[in-house]
Coordinates of all heavy atoms in Angstrom, one line a residue:
Y1460 N 12.0 -10.0 -8.3 CA 10.7 -9.6 -9.0 C 10.7 -8.9 -10.3 O 9.7 -8.4 -10.7 CB 10.0 -8.8 -7.9 CG 9.6 -9.5 -6.7 CD1 10.0 -9.3 -5.5 CD2 8.5 -10.5 -6.8 CE1 9.7 -10.1 -4.4 CE2 8.1 -11.2 -5.7 CZ 8.6 -11.0 -4.4 OH 8.2 -11.7 -3.4
N1461 N 11.9 -8.7 -10.9 CA 12.1 -8.0 -12.0 C 11.5 -8.7 -13.3 O 11.4 -8.1 -14.4 CB 13.4 -7.5 -12.3 CG 14.4 -8.5 -12.4 OD1 14.0 -9.8 -12.4 ND2 15.7 -8.3 -12.6
R1462 N 10.9 -9.9 -13.1 CA 10.4 -10.7 -14.2 C 8.9 -10.4 -14.4 O 8.3 -11.0 -15.3 CB 10.6 -12.1 -14.0 CG 9.9 -12.8 -12.8 CD 10.2 -14.2 -12.7 NE 9.4 -14.8 -11.7 CZ 9.8 -15.0 -10.4 NH1 10.9 -14.5 -9.9 NH2 9.0 -15.5 -9.5
W1463 N 8.3 -9.6 -13.6 CA 6.9 -9.3 -13.5 C 6.5 -8.3 -14.8 O 7.3 -7.5 -15.0 CB 6.4 -8.7 -12.3 CG 6.3 -9.8 -11.3 CD1 7.1 -10.3 -10.6 CD2 4.9 -10.5 -11.0 NE1 6.7 -11.4 -9.7 CE2 5.4 -11.4 -10.0 CE3 3.6 -10.3 -11.4 CZ2 4.3 -12.3 -9.5 CZ3 2.7 -11.2 -10.7 CH2 3.1 -12.1 -9.8
P1464 N 5.4 -8.6 -15.3 CA 5.0 -7.8 -16.5 C 4.6 -6.3 -16.1 O 4.4 -6.2 -14.9 CB 3.8 -8.5 -17.1 CG 3.2 -9.1 -15.9 CD 4.5 -9.5 -15.1
T1465 N 4.6 -5.4 -17.0 CA 4.2 -4.1 -16.5 C 3.0 -3.6 -17.3 O 2.6 -2.6 -17.6 CB 5.3 -3.0 -17.0 OG1 5.5 -3.2 -18.6 CG2 6.6 -3.2 -16.3
G1466 N 2.1 -4.6 -17.8 CA 0.9 -4.4 -18.4 C -0.3 -3.9 -17.5 O 0.0 -3.5 -16.4
E1467 N -1.4 -3.9 -18.2 CA -2.7 -3.2 -17.6 C -2.9 -3.9 -16.1 O -3.4 -3.2 -15.2 CB -3.7 -3.5 -18.4 CG -5.1 -2.8 -18.0 CD -6.2 -3.0 -18.9 OE1 -5.9 -3.0 -20.1 OE2 -7.3 -3.4 -18.5
K1468 N -2.7 -5.1 -15.9 CA -3.1 -5.7 -14.7 C -1.9 -5.9 -13.7 O -2.1 -6.6 -12.7 CB -3.7 -7.1 -14.9 CG -5.0 -7.1 -15.7 CD -6.0 -6.6 -14.9 CE -7.4 -6.7 -15.5 NZ -8.5 -6.4 -14.7
A1469 N -0.7 -5.5 -14.1 CA 0.6 -5.7 -13.3 C 0.3 -5.1 -11.9 O 0.7 -5.7 -11.0 CB 1.6 -5.1 -14.0
S1470 N -0.2 -3.9 -11.8 CA -0.4 -3.3 -10.4 C -1.2 -4.3 -9.4 O -0.9 -4.4 -8.3 CB -0.9 -1.9 -10.4 OG -2.3 -1.9 -10.8
E1471 N -2.3 -4.7 -10.0 CA -3.1 -5.7 -9.3 C -2.4 -7.0 -8.9 O -2.5 -7.4 -7.7 CB -4.3 -6.0 -10.1 CG -5.4 -6.8 -9.3 CD -6.7 -6.9 -10.2 OE1 -6.8 -6.4 -11.1 OE2 -7.4 -8.0 -9.8
A1472 N -1.6 -7.4 -9.8 CA -0.7 -8.7 -9.6 C 0.3 -8.4 -8.4 O 0.4 -9.2 -7.5 CB -0.1 -9.0 -10.9
W1473 N 0.9 -7.2 -8.3 CA 1.8 -6.8 -7.4 C 1.1 -6.9 -5.8 O 1.7 -7.4 -4.9 CB 2.5 -5.5 -7.5 CG 3.6 -5.6 -8.3 CD1 3.6 -5.2 -9.7 CD2 4.9 -6.1 -8.2 NE1 4.8 -5.5 -10.2 CE2 5.7 -6.0 -9.3 CE3 5.5 -6.8 -7.1 CZ2 7.0 -6.4 -9.4 CZ3 6.8 -7.1 -7.1 CH2 7.6 -7.0 -8.4
I1474 N -0.1 -6.4 -5.9 CA -0.8 -6.5 -4.6 C -1.1 -7.8 -4.1 O -1.0 -8.2 -3.0 CB -2.2 -5.5 -4.7 CG1 -1.8 -4.1 -4.8 CG2 -3.1 -5.9 -3.5 CD1 -1.2 -3.5 -3.5
Y1475 N -1.5 -8.7 -5.1 CA -1.8 -10.1 -4.9 C -0.6 -10.7 -4.3 O -0.6 -11.5 -3.4 CB -2.5 -10.8 -5.9 CG -3.9 -10.6 -6.1 CD1 -4.4 -9.8 -7.2 CD2 -4.9 -10.9 -5.2 CE1 -5.7 -9.6 -7.4 CE2 -6.2 -10.8 -5.4 CZ -6.7 -10.1 -6.4 OH -8.0 -9.8 -6.6
V1476 N 0.6 -10.4 -5.1 CA 1.8 -11.1 -4.7 C 2.2 -10.7 -3.2 O 2.6 -11.5 -2.4 CB 3.0 -10.6 -5.6 CG1 4.3 -11.0 -5.0 CG2 2.7 -11.4 -6.9
A1477 N 2.0 -9.4 -2.9 CA 2.4 -9.0 -1.6 C 1.4 -9.5 -0.5 O 1.9 -10.0 0.5 CB 2.3 -7.3 -1.5
Y1478 N 0.1 -9.5 -0.8 CA -0.9 -10.0 0.2 C -0.6 -11.5 0.5 O -0.6 -11.9 1.6 CB -2.2 -9.7 -0.3 CG -3.3 -10.2 0.5 CD1 -3.6 -9.4 1.6 CD2 -4.0 -11.4 0.4 CE1 -4.7 -9.7 2.5 CE2 -5.1 -11.7 1.2 CZ -5.4 -10.9 2.3 OH -6.4 -11.4 3.1
Y1479 N -0.5 -12.3 -0.5 CA -0.3 -13.7 -0.3 C 1.0 -14.1 0.2 O 1.2 -15.2 0.9 CB -0.8 -14.5 -1.6 CG -2.4 -14.4 -1.7 CD1 -3.0 -13.6 -2.7 CD2 -3.2 -15.1 -0.8 CE1 -4.4 -13.7 -2.8 CE2 -4.5 -15.0 -0.9 CZ -5.1 -14.3 -1.9 OH -6.5 -14.2 -1.9
S1480 N 2.0 -13.4 -0.1 CA 3.4 -13.5 0.6 C 3.2 -13.3 2.1 O 3.6 -14.1 2.8 CB 4.3 -12.6 -0.1 OG 4.6 -12.9 -1.3
E1481 N 2.5 -12.2 2.5 CA 2.3 -11.9 3.9 C 1.4 -13.1 4.5 O 1.8 -13.6 5.6 CB 1.5 -10.6 4.0 CG 1.3 -10.2 5.3 CD 0.5 -9.0 5.5 OE1 0.2 -8.3 4.5 OE2 -0.1 -8.6 6.6
K1482 N 0.4 -13.5 3.9 CA -0.4 -14.5 4.4 C 0.3 -15.8 4.6 O -0.1 -16.7 5.4 CB -1.8 -14.8 3.7 CG -2.7 -13.5 3.8 CD -2.9 -13.2 5.2 CE -3.8 -11.8 5.3 NZ -3.7 -11.3 6.7
G1483 N 1.3 -16.1 3.7 CA 2.0 -17.4 3.6 C 3.2 -17.3 4.5 O 4.0 -18.2 4.4
G1484 N 3.3 -16.2 5.3 CA 4.5 -16.1 6.4 C 5.8 -15.5 5.7 O 6.8 -15.6 6.3
K1485 N 5.7 -15.1 4.4 CA 7.0 -14.7 3.7 C 7.0 -13.2 3.9 O 6.8 -12.4 3.0 CB 7.0 -15.1 2.4 CG 7.0 -16.6 2.2 CD 7.1 -17.0 0.7 CE 7.3 -18.5 0.6 NZ 7.6 -19.0 -0.6
K1486 N 7.3 -12.7 5.1 CA 7.2 -11.2 5.4 C 8.1 -10.4 4.6 O 7.8 -9.3 4.1 CB 7.6 -11.1 7.0 CG 7.5 -9.7 7.5 CD 7.8 -9.6 8.9 CE 7.9 -8.2 9.3 NZ 8.3 -8.1 10.8
D1487 N 9.4 -10.8 4.4 CA 10.3 -10.2 3.5 C 10.0 -9.9 2.2 O 10.0 -8.8 1.6 CB 11.8 -10.7 3.6 CG 12.4 -10.6 5.1 OD1 12.0 -9.7 5.8 OD2 13.4 -11.3 5.3
D1488 N 9.3 -11.0 1.6 CA 8.7 -10.9 0.2 C 7.6 -10.0 0.1 O 7.5 -9.2 -0.8 CB 8.4 -12.3 -0.2 CG 9.5 -13.3 -0.5 OD1 10.7 -12.8 -0.6 OD2 9.3 -14.4 -0.7
A1489 N 6.7 -10.0 1.2 CA 5.5 -9.1 1.2 C 6.0 -7.6 1.2 O 5.5 -6.7 0.5 CB 4.6 -9.5 2.4
I1490 N 7.0 -7.4 2.1 CA 7.5 -6.0 2.2 C 8.1 -5.5 0.9 O 7.8 -4.5 0.4 CB 8.5 -5.9 3.4 CG1 7.8 -6.0 4.8 CG2 9.4 -4.6 3.3 CD1 8.8 -6.3 5.9
A1491 N 8.9 -6.4 0.2 CA 9.6 -6.0 -1.0 C 8.5 -5.7 -2.0 O 8.6 -4.9 -2.8 CB 10.4 -7.1 -1.5
A1492 N 7.4 -6.6 -2.1 CA 6.3 -6.5 -3.1 C 5.5 -5.2 -2.9 O 5.2 -4.4 -3.9 CB 5.4 -7.7 -3.2
Y1493 N 5.1 -4.9 -1.6 CA 4.5 -3.7 -1.3 C 5.3 -2.4 -1.7 O 4.9 -1.4 -2.3 CB 4.0 -3.5 0.1 CG 2.8 -4.5 0.5 CD1 2.9 -5.4 1.6 CD2 1.6 -4.3 -0.2 CE1 1.9 -6.1 2.0 CE2 0.5 -5.1 0.3 CZ 0.6 -5.9 1.2 OH -0.4 -6.8 1.5
K1494 N 6.6 -2.5 -1.4 CA 7.4 -1.3 -1.7 C 7.5 -1.2 -3.2 O 7.6 0.0 -3.8 CB 8.9 -1.5 -1.1 CG 8.9 -1.2 0.3 CD 10.3 -1.4 1.0 CE 10.3 -1.0 2.4 NZ 11.6 -1.1 3.0
E1495 N 7.6 -2.3 -3.9 CA 7.7 -2.1 -5.4 C 6.5 -1.6 -5.9 O 6.5 -0.8 -6.9 CB 8.1 -3.5 -5.9 CG 8.3 -3.5 -7.4 CD 9.7 -2.9 -7.8 OE1 10.6 -2.6 -6.8 OE2 9.9 -2.5 -9.0
Y1496 N 5.4 -2.1 -5.4 CA 4.0 -1.5 -5.9 C 4.0 0.1 -5.7 O 3.6 0.8 -6.7 CB 2.9 -2.1 -5.1 CG 1.6 -1.5 -5.4 CD1 0.8 -1.9 -6.6 CD2 1.0 -0.5 -4.7 CE1 -0.4 -1.3 -6.8 CE2 -0.1 0.1 -4.9 CZ -0.9 -0.3 -6.0 OH -2.0 0.3 -6.4
L1497 N 4.3 0.4 -4.5 CA 4.3 1.9 -4.2 C 5.3 2.7 -5.1 O 5.1 3.8 -5.5 CB 4.6 2.2 -2.7 CG 3.5 1.7 -1.7 CD1 4.0 1.7 -0.4 CD2 2.3 2.4 -2.0
K1498 N 6.4 2.0 -5.4 CA 7.4 2.7 -6.3 C 6.9 2.8 -7.7 O 7.0 3.9 -8.4 CB 8.7 1.9 -6.2 CG 9.8 2.4 -7.2 CD 11.1 1.6 -7.0 CE 11.9 1.6 -8.3 NZ 13.0 0.7 -8.1
K1499 N 6.4 1.8 -8.3 CA 5.8 1.8 -9.6 C 4.5 2.4 -9.9 O 4.3 3.0 -10.9 CB 5.7 0.2 -10.1 CG 7.0 -0.4 -10.3 CD 6.9 -1.8 -10.8 CE 8.1 -2.6 -11.0 NZ 8.5 -2.6 -12.4
W1500 N 3.6 2.4 -8.9 CA 2.4 2.9 -9.0 C 2.0 4.0 -7.8 O 1.0 3.6 -7.0 CB 1.3 1.8 -9.1 CG 1.6 1.0 -10.3 CD1 1.1 1.3 -11.6 CD2 2.1 -0.2 -10.3 NE1 1.4 0.4 -12.5 CE2 2.0 -0.6 -11.8 CE3 2.8 -1.0 -9.5 CZ2 2.6 -1.8 -12.1 CZ3 3.3 -2.2 -9.9 CH2 3.3 -2.6 -11.3
P1501 N 2.8 5.0 -7.7 CA 2.5 6.0 -6.5 C 1.1 6.5 -6.5 O 0.7 7.0 -5.5 CB 3.5 6.9 -6.8 CG 4.0 6.9 -8.2 CD 3.7 5.5 -8.7
Q1502 N 0.3 6.5 -7.6 CA -1.0 7.1 -7.7 C -2.0 5.8 -7.9 O -3.1 6.1 -8.2 CB -1.2 8.0 -8.7 CG -0.2 9.2 -8.8 CD -0.3 10.1 -7.5 OE1 -1.4 10.3 -7.1 NE2 0.9 10.5 -6.9
G1503 N -1.5 4.6 -7.6 CA -2.3 3.5 -8.0 C -3.7 3.4 -7.0 O -3.7 4.0 -5.9
E1504 N -4.6 2.5 -7.5 CA -5.8 2.3 -6.8 C -5.5 1.8 -5.4 O -6.3 2.0 -4.5 CB -6.6 1.3 -7.7 CG -8.0 1.0 -7.1 CD -8.7 0.1 -8.0 OE1 -8.7 0.3 -9.4 OE2 -9.5 -0.7 -7.6
D1505 N -4.5 1.0 -5.1 CA -4.3 0.3 -3.9 C -3.3 0.9 -3.0 O -2.7 0.4 -2.1 CB -4.1 -1.2 -4.1 CG -5.3 -1.9 -4.7 OD1 -6.4 -1.8 -4.0 OD2 -5.1 -2.5 -5.7
V1506 N -3.0 2.2 -3.2 CA -1.8 2.8 -2.6 C -2.0 2.8 -1.0 O -1.2 2.5 -0.2 CB -1.5 4.2 -3.1 CG1 -0.7 5.1 -2.2 CG2 -0.9 4.2 -4.4
E1507 N -3.3 3.2 -0.6 CA -3.5 3.3 0.8 C -3.3 2.0 1.5 O -2.8 1.8 2.6 CB -4.9 4.0 1.1 CG -4.9 5.4 0.8 CD -3.8 6.3 1.6 OE1 -3.6 6.0 2.7 OE2 -3.1 7.0 0.8
F1508 N -4.0 0.9 0.9 CA -3.8 -0.4 1.3 C -2.4 -0.8 1.5 O -2.1 -1.4 2.4 CB -4.7 -1.4 0.5 CG -4.5 -2.9 0.8 CD1 -5.3 -3.3 1.9 CD2 -3.6 -3.7 0.2 CE1 -5.2 -4.8 2.2 CE2 -3.6 -5.0 0.5 CZ -4.3 -5.5 1.6
A1509 N -1.6 -0.5 0.5 CA -0.2 -1.1 0.5 C 0.6 -0.3 1.6 O 1.2 -1.0 2.2 CB 0.3 -0.8 -0.9
K1510 N 0.3 1.0 1.8 CA 0.9 1.7 2.8 C 0.6 1.2 4.2 O 1.4 1.0 5.1 CB 0.6 3.2 2.8 CG 1.2 3.9 1.7 CD 0.9 5.4 1.6 CE 1.5 6.2 0.4 NZ 1.0 7.5 0.4
E1511 N -0.7 0.9 4.4 CA -1.1 0.4 5.7 C -0.5 -1.1 6.0 O 0.0 -1.2 7.1 CB -2.7 0.2 5.7 CG -3.3 1.5 5.8 CD -4.9 1.4 5.4 OE1 -5.4 0.3 5.5 OE2 -5.6 2.5 5.3
Q1512 N -0.5 -1.8 5.0 CA 0.0 -3.3 5.1 C 1.5 -3.1 5.3 O 1.9 -3.8 6.2 CB -0.3 -4.1 3.9 CG -1.7 -4.3 3.7 CD -2.3 -5.0 4.9 OE1 -3.1 -4.4 5.7 NE2 -2.0 -6.3 5.1
L1513 N 2.2 -2.2 4.8 CA 3.7 -2.0 4.9 C 3.9 -1.5 6.3 O 4.9 -2.0 6.8 CB 4.2 -1.1 3.7 CG 5.7 -1.0 3.6 CD1 6.4 -2.4 3.4 CD2 5.9 -0.1 2.5
A1514 N 3.2 -0.7 6.7 CA 3.6 -0.1 8.0 C 3.3 -1.2 9.0 O 4.1 -1.3 10.1 CB 2.4 1.1 8.4
E1515 N 2.2 -2.0 9.0 CA 2.0 -3.1 9.8 C 3.2 -4.1 9.9 O 3.7 -4.5 10.9 CB 0.8 -3.9 9.6 CG -0.5 -3.1 10.0 CD -0.6 -3.0 11.6 OE1 -0.3 -4.0 12.3 OE2 -0.8 -2.0 12.1
L1516 N 3.6 -4.4 8.6 CA 4.8 -5.4 8.5 C 6.0 -4.9 9.0 O 6.9 -5.7 9.5 CB 4.8 -5.8 7.0 CG 3.9 -6.7 6.5 CD1 4.0 -6.7 5.0 CD2 3.9 -8.1 7.2
E1517 N 6.3 -3.5 9.0 CA 7.5 -3.0 9.4 C 7.5 -2.6 10.9 O 8.5 -2.2 11.4 CB 7.9 -1.8 8.5 CG 8.2 -2.2 7.1 CD 8.8 -1.1 6.2 OE1 8.1 0.0 6.3 OE2 9.5 -1.3 5.4
K1518 N 6.3 -2.8 11.5 CA 6.3 -2.5 13.0 C 7.3 -3.4 13.7 O 7.3 -4.7 13.3 CB 5.0 -2.6 13.5 CG 4.1 -1.5 13.6 CD 2.9 -1.9 14.5 CE 1.6 -1.1 14.0 NZ 0.5 -1.6 14.8
P1519 N 7.9 -3.0 14.7 CA 8.6 -4.0 15.5 C 7.8 -5.0 16.1 O 6.7 -4.6 16.6 CB 9.4 -3.1 16.6 CG 9.2 -1.6 16.2 CD 8.2 -1.6 15.2
A1520 N 8.2 -6.1 16.4 CA 7.4 -7.2 17.0 C 7.2 -6.8 18.5 O 8.0 -6.3 19.2 CB 8.1 -8.6 16.9
E1521 N 5.9 -6.9 18.9 CA 5.6 -6.6 20.2 C 6.0 -7.9 21.1 O 5.7 -8.9 20.8 CB 4.0 -6.4 20.4 CG 3.5 -5.1 19.8 CD 2.1 -4.7 19.9 OE1 1.5 -5.5 20.8 OE2 1.6 -3.9 19.2
T1522 N 6.5 -7.6 22.3 CA 6.7 -8.6 23.2 C 5.6 -8.7 24.3 O 5.0 -7.7 24.6 CB 8.0 -8.2 24.0 OG1 8.0 -7.1 24.6 CG2 9.3 -8.3 23.0
T1523 N 5.3 -9.9 24.5 CA 4.2 -10.2 25.4 C 4.8 -10.8 26.7 O 5.7 -11.5 26.8 CB 3.1 -11.1 25.0 OG1 3.7 -12.3 24.6 CG2 2.4 -10.6 23.7
T1524 N 4.2 -10.4 27.8 CA 4.6 -10.9 29.1 C 3.5 -11.7 29.8 O 2.3 -11.2 29.7 CB 5.0 -9.8 30.0 OG1 4.4 -8.6 29.6 CG2 6.4 -9.7 30.4
Q1525 N 3.7 -12.8 30.2 CA 2.6 -13.7 30.7 C 2.4 -13.3 32.2 O 3.2 -12.7 32.9 CB 3.0 -15.1 30.7 CG 3.1 -15.7 29.3 CD 3.6 -17.0 29.3 OE1 4.0 -17.7 30.4 NE2 3.5 -17.9 28.2
G1526 N 1.1 -13.4 32.5 CA 0.7 -13.2 33.9 C 0.5 -11.9 34.3 O 0.3 -11.5 35.5
Q1527 N 0.2 -10.9 33.4 CA 0.0 -9.6 33.7 C -1.5 -9.2 33.2 O -1.8 -8.9 32.0 CB 0.8 -8.6 33.0 CG 2.2 -8.7 33.7 CD 3.1 -7.5 33.1 OE1 2.8 -6.6 32.3 NE2 4.4 -7.5 33.6
G1528 N -2.5 -9.3 34.2 CA -3.8 -8.8 34.0 C -4.7 -9.7 33.0 O -5.7 -9.3 32.7
G1529 N -4.4 -10.9 32.7 CA -5.2 -11.7 31.9 C -5.4 -13.0 32.5 O -4.7 -13.5 33.3
S1530 N -6.4 -13.7 32.0 CA -6.6 -15.1 32.4 C -6.3 -16.0 31.3 O -6.5 -15.7 30.2 CB -8.0 -15.2 32.9 OG -8.9 -15.0 31.8
Q1531 N -5.8 -17.2 31.6 CA -5.5 -18.2 30.6 C -6.3 -19.4 30.5 O -7.0 -19.8 31.3 CB -4.1 -18.6 30.8 CG -3.2 -17.4 30.6 CD -1.6 -17.9 30.8 OE1 -1.3 -19.1 30.9 NE2 -0.7 -17.0 30.7

């Protein structure tokens, strides 16, 4: 990701990269982009969003058990 610009819209671009990486199933890329955003723009406009998304992505996967209290 070091090829990204550092201009006025760069912080917004990082959030888009992270968000669409996540939506596209590229979890590792999304995590890396959110972390880079937080590193480069610790006071940025989207800091809270980035932290929330990163926390969700870094949560351990929940395991589900079939047949406990639900109907199918």
Side-chain angles (χ1 to χ4, degrees):
Y1460 289 111
N1461 59 3
R1462 67 181 185 269
W1463 281 81
T1465 57
E1467 183 180 319
K1468 297 285 186 179
S1470 65
E1471 189 176 341
W1473 277 104
I1474 288 296
Y1475 280 112
V1476 167
Y1478 180 79
Y1479 286 107
S1480 292
E1481 179 183 351
K1482 294 303 173 197
K1485 296 184 177 187
K1486 182 179 174 179
D1487 291 341
D1488 289 346
I1490 289 171
Y1493 283 126
K1494 284 183 176 180
E1495 189 67 18
Y1496 173 86
L1497 292 169
K1498 178 179 156 190
K1499 289 180 181 258
W1500 296 280
Q1502 305 299 318
E1504 185 177 319
D1505 295 305
V1506 166
E1507 288 307 312
F1508 174 78
K1510 286 179 179 179
E1511 290 169 9
Q1512 296 302 107
L1513 190 56
E1515 281 296 314
L1516 288 167
E1517 291 183 323
K1518 266 192 208 176
E1521 292 183 16
T1522 56
T1523 57
T1524 15
Q1525 293 181 346
Q1527 290 190 357
S1530 61
Q1531 293 183 5

